[in-house]
Amino acid sequence: MSESRPRPQFGEYASPEEQRARIAEPIDEQRAEELGIAPVVPVDRQPRQQQEPTLREQTREQAHEPGVVQPGAPTVAARRPVAGDRIATSILLGLGLVGLIVTMPGLLDLPGLIRPALVQMGVSGYSSDGLASAMGILALGLQIALWVGAIILSSRSLRAGRLTFWIPLVAGVAANLVVVICLAVAMGADPAFMEYVRSQQP
């Protein structure tokens, strides 16, 4: 006849999982050592730090979501363009367009613009019409490109809330410089004009 085990009083024969499922009181370390099991603490009595990982995980997940601002995080207000800067930019762009329209006929007929000017200076016989026409078309094309570029850059800068009036200002200065350079090339390549320049030297 086999020896029967004594009647369990504290769940000695139950597995640790069954003990955790049925226990109503916590088991401290000393009692757990006597029973040969790990100490068990009810969920509602666990430290607060062990009961809140889900909330912290949710907070970290929300922090990576677009459009979610963490409490206490510094917020950067969107910059708005200054009204005076917008007005100045519009005026400068308008002046650039007017200047482009005014100079267009002269640039398309640059030889007809150069010849009267040279006659007033006492120079006759201008013969570089082909070069002057090419320089006039080049100057006009660059002026148009600079004005369109100023429009695009100014629009982007205004939407971003940055100072913008300097963009059409720089474009206007560059456009005038282009016209001067093209005009100087068209005049400097003409033999009659170069002879006049040499005659003026001491």
Side-chain angles (χ1 to χ4, degrees):
M1 183 173 179
S2 60
E3 183 179 358
S4 61
R5 294 185 299 180
R7 181 179 179 181
Q9 297 180 358
F10 302 101
E12 293 89 342
Y13 306 135
S15 64
E17 291 76 12
E18 293 174 340
Q19 295 175 7
R20 290 185 177 90
R22 292 175 173 81
I23 191 167
E25 294 293 334
I27 298 179
D28 55 15
E29 295 182 0
Q30 181 177 0
R31 183 57 179 166
E33 185 178 356
E34 295 176 357
L35 299 176
I37 62 175
V40 179
V41 180
V43 177
D44 58 349
R45 298 187 183 183
Q46 291 181 0
R48 185 175 182 181
Q49 292 80 358
Q50 299 179 5
Q51 298 180 17
E52 297 180 350
T54 304
L55 296 177
R56 291 197 299 269
E57 292 176 359
Q58 292 177 356
T59 303
R60 286 195 298 267
E61 292 177 358
Q62 292 177 356
H64 294 287
E65 293 180 359
V68 177
V69 180
Q70 298 183 9
T75 56
V76 180
R79 295 179 58 186
R80 296 182 178 179
V82 181
D85 179 61
R86 182 184 293 274
I87 295 173
T89 302
S90 301
I91 292 175
L92 290 173
L93 289 173
L95 291 176
L97 179 60
V98 171
L100 180 61
I101 295 174
V102 170
T103 58
M104 184 179 297
L107 293 177
L108 291 176
D109 185 21
L110 193 57
L113 182 66
I114 294 176
R115 189 171 287 108
L118 291 180
V119 169
Q120 292 181 0
M121 296 170 58
V123 180
S124 60
Y126 182 79
S127 59
S128 301
D129 291 356
L131 178 61
S133 298
M135 288 296 101
I137 294 175
L138 176 62
L140 180 60
L142 292 176
Q143 276 196 324
I144 294 174
L146 286 170
W147 187 78
V148 173
I151 284 284
I152 296 173
L153 294 178
S154 297
S155 300
R156 293 178 179 177
S157 181
L158 287 174
R159 285 196 298 268
R162 296 191 292 266
L163 198 63
T164 308
F165 79 94
W166 63 271
I167 296 178
L169 190 62
V170 172
V173 172
N176 291 328
L177 184 61
V178 164
V179 172
V180 171
I181 292 175
C182 291
L183 186 61
V185 171
M187 294 176 62
D190 183 70
F193 178 76
M194 293 305 298
E195 181 64 27
Y196 169 77
V197 172
R198 284 192 294 269
S199 66
Q200 298 299 316
Q201 295 179 355

